[in-house]
Amino acid sequence: MFCYQCEQTAKGQACDKMGVCGKAPETSDLQDLLVYVLRGISVVALEGRKVGLVNQEADRFVAAGLFSTLTNVNFDNTRFEGLIAQALELREALKKEVAAKGGATEYSQPPVNWTPAVDVRPLAEQAEGFGLDRDHSDNVDLKSLQHLVLFGLRGVAAYVDHAYLLGQEDEAVYTGIHEGLAAIYEDKDLGAWVAQTMKVGEINLRAMELLDAANTGTYGHPVPTEVPLGAKAGKAILVSGHDLKDLKSILEQTEGKGINVYTHGEMLPCHGYPELKKHAHFHGHYGTAWQNQQKEFAAFPGAILMTTNCIQKPSTYIEDIFTTGLVGWPGVQHVKNGDFGPVIEKALAMPGFAADEDKGSVMTGFARNAVLGVADKVIEAVKGGDIRHFFLVAGCDGAKPGRNYYTEFVEKVPQDCMVLTLACGKFRFFDKKLGDIGGIPRLLDIGQCNDAFSAIQIAVALAGAFECDVNDLPLSMVLSWYEQKAVAILLTLLHLGIKGIRLGPSLPAFITPNILNFLVENFDIKPISTPDEDLKAILG
């Protein structure tokens, strides 16, 4: 195996024996083979578009397939073997459709023609030759950009899949995904590959816009909401991941059954959505970020449902946890989306919480409508000198040392400054009581990583109000990354021309020194240093 797509990759270089995430070499190889075949589908899909053929099944499958290879989504080899078989069948059918329309009948690109060997070797063994260290440019800088495009597209695919499940999609985004996957077989120089990375940022902006429309159009715009951190006596189900539709289904199917539903990880912002919070048994939030789940899940006295990425190897609770959608772990019961009967049965059979627990509360629900609803007060506070600076401290959390930087940074932000946050990086400081400025909380939780679109819209609206560029706002971005959705969001920010981003806790292993220099020179992107040094550099 060769995998360096996440921040915690072994020795800061690459996992080549066993994934730090728990991914076995065979699983890694099967993921790489799946992506290889998906690239073949994309080549054919683009040929189809030349003759007016758009195959929605192929478009959606490529997005879902890419999403399944995102860090901490699926670890089940059997599932990947099924996806590869489905991909091959879909590719061959699409080739016939394109030919029937008068399009290409032959292809020179290897992934369009690859098929498994007919001997008895396992598919995982045949997959060994398709790793990230193969079939890419020998030029290390070109390879770096190729992988930046691939990892960014995996993040885009996650948002696309979420939006599609709620009825929102855009052919232009699917075309962008196909173009990125097929680009490796085109004769592109360094400048063209830089443009390709910016294209990923562009289509991710649209994908996040679609998902925002899907979530708010279905469940309403989030409103500021106080969320209990303690438990309520009774049976319990814990929902983790990111998927709002799965949570809504759980809430509907548990109505009147005496089961309280709790969120975990990035599901915390769900408490702010009107159509979700109206369920009386939607009680509160349990636990913190994804990397703490093995300890937190083991102590949870109810059933657990993983809806999207972030799953870790289950321990003593393997009989109590379920996966759905694209998530998978060997030995964990998988349930179809929306069919949560087994989860409910398990919850009813388990003891639940014996008594009420008061562990305080946190606020969430400060998405763009909520923040822009008090924009006049914010603008007045800035002009009056009550608010000196805004900090967007956001991104992914993780177990690797160095992430305490973000806790310390927020604790040291001066009292006349606001902190906006989103994604699971917030769990380093989400329960800090930072007070308020003129009645506006100093710590505003915008939502999930999926809600980066809201943060962008807030920044754009403030820039319009102050009649300046976003880069001229008293706003600094201090971001943490872990997986590929963070990569996609970073590319979106660069596509929008955002400069001066501080990134940590370490820089991506797949970024070469020359590409890093390009990012520094063109976007003033910086690695984090220490909270004191960074605050001094920003505020003077």
Side-chain angles (χ1 to χ4, degrees), residues 12 111 141 177 198 216 246 275 291 304 312 438 441-442 457 513 532:
D141 295 326
I177 292 174
M198 294 300 104
T216 58
D246 287 334
E275 288 300 308
Q291 76 275 5
I304 304 161
Q312 289 184 300
R442 286 187 58 233
Q457 294 306 304
D532 289 324

Side-chain angles (χ1 to χ4, degrees), residues 496-507:
L496 292 170
I498 306 298
K499 296 183 177 181
I501 297 170
R502 282 172 166 78
L503 183 66
S506 63
L507 296 177

